[in-house]
């Protein structure tokens, strides 16, 4: 079943076959996209999952949204950090309200984000690790790092995947995340794929297997 729901943040809810209280996966799309993008991947993931795909709050044009403004300059991409922080709080509020209302298995959610959505995943994990079972960050980059990782962050499982030929966020961004996470979390899976700024079939298969392994632990 796929339906549009109105809430703190507009989102789509996909729950084909998932029982009440099912494990919950929340998806965050990339810059300039919308909530209909990543939800198309839901049927290829574990049917035990209930999947919600959020729409970013900043309208850029027809069916085009962003989590925070960016600018492309000769020195690279600049970020509106103040807006990013406000959006992080909005996402965390949505997650708290959703956990309270749908009561997912384990009382937490999995986050899966692409590009700017992956950046929001990191920000949410830094700010509210207690809400999360784990994080899938695809073709993203680390935001500004906290001086010290918050309590509970180190135990969060992370899956990070990046394209070797990514010309939007170069592979160096993925490798930087890999190096930092190796020193700051205990459960990290990092993979590179021969692709550009995208989610290819191999990346999706990896994400599906990673989620299945953690769902099996919740069910055990």
């Amino acid at each position: 079943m796929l339906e549009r729901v109105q809430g703190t943040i507009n989102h789509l809810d996909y729950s084909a076959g998932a029982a009440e209280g099912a494990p919950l996966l929340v998806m965050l799309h990339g810059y300039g996209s919308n909530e209909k993008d990543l939800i198309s991947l839901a049927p290829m993931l574990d049917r035990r999952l209930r999947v919600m795909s959020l729409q970013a709050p900043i309208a850029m044009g027809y069916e085009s949204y962003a989590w925070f403004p960016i600018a492309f300059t000769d020195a690279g991409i600049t970020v509106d950090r103040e807006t990013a922080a406000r959006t992080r709080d909005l996402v965390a509020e949505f997650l708290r309200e959703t956990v309270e209302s749908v009561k997912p298995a384990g009382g937490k959610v999995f986050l899966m984000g692409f590009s700017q959505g992956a950046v929001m995943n990191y920000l949410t994990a830094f700010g509210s690790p207690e809400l999360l079972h784990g994080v899938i960050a695809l073709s993203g980059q680390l935001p500004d790092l906290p001086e010290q990782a918050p309590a509970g962050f180190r135990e969060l499982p992370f899956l990070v995947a990046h394209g070797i030929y990514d010309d939007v966020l170069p592979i160096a961004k993925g490798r930087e995340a890999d190096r930092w996470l190796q020193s700051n979390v205990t459960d990290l899976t990092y993979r590179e794929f021969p692709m550009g700024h995208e989610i290819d079939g191999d990346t999706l298969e990896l994400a599906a297997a990673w989620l299945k392994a953690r769902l099996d632990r919740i069910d055990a």
Side-chain angles (χ1 to χ4, degrees):
M1 178 177 64
L2 181 63
E3 60 177 314
R4 184 179 297 274
V5 182
Q6 296 295 323
T8 306
I9 298 177
N10 288 346
H11 65 286
L12 291 173
D13 189 342
Y14 179 91
S15 54
E20 184 178 353
L24 178 60
L25 171 66
V26 176
M27 295 174 155
L28 280 67
H29 64 76
Y31 182 81
S33 188
N34 58 62
E35 84 278 34
K36 290 182 283 188
D37 185 11
L38 295 184
I39 199 71
S40 65
L41 306 178
M44 292 170 271
L45 301 174
D46 198 298
R47 290 178 63 85
R48 289 173 289 179
L49 284 165
R50 179 174 184 170
V51 182
M52 292 184 180
S53 183
L54 309 192
Q55 179 174 281
I58 301 172
M60 299 172 58
Y62 177 69
E63 295 196 334
S64 176
Y65 297 85
W67 300 100
F68 51 85
I70 62 174
F72 295 91
T73 71
D74 291 341
I77 299 175
T78 62
V79 173
D80 183 334
R81 289 170 169 77
E82 183 176 337
T83 301
R86 288 199 301 268
T87 303
R88 173 205 62 204
D89 294 342
L90 194 63
V91 170
E93 178 185 3
F94 177 90
L95 296 181
R96 288 191 184 94
E97 292 176 353
T98 300
V99 167
E100 179 65 26
S101 62
V102 308
K103 296 178 171 53
K108 300 179 182 182
V109 308
F110 292 97
L111 274 185
M112 175 177 173
F114 172 74
S115 192
Q116 193 180 73
V119 178
M120 290 307 306
N121 281 2
Y122 287 125
L123 287 171
T124 304
F126 291 151
S128 305
E130 74 282 358
L131 296 173
L132 307 179
H133 282 305
V135 175
I136 301 175
L138 307 177
S139 301
Q141 68 175 45
L142 287 171
D144 294 336
L145 298 170
E147 292 184 7
Q148 183 175 355
F153 179 86
R154 188 170 183 82
E155 290 71 38
L156 271 183
F158 273 82
L159 168 61
V160 179
H162 214 102
I164 295 171
Y165 307 116
D166 193 327
D167 60 356
V168 177
L169 292 174
I171 186 61
K173 299 294 186 180
R175 292 170 181 170
E176 177 184 21
D178 177 38
R179 288 192 297 271
W180 189 85
L181 289 168
Q182 282 186 40
S183 299
N184 288 278
V185 299
T186 58
D187 185 349
L188 170 64
T189 301
Y190 175 78
R191 296 287 186 274
E192 298 177 358
F193 293 96
M195 63 179 183
H197 195 65
E198 60 187 301
I199 302 174
D200 68 359
D202 290 338
T203 305
L204 184 58
E205 286 183 11
L206 173 65
W210 187 91
L211 283 165
K212 180 182 183 302
R214 280 145 189 85
L215 293 178
D216 289 345
R217 296 174 193 172
I218 292 175
D219 286 346

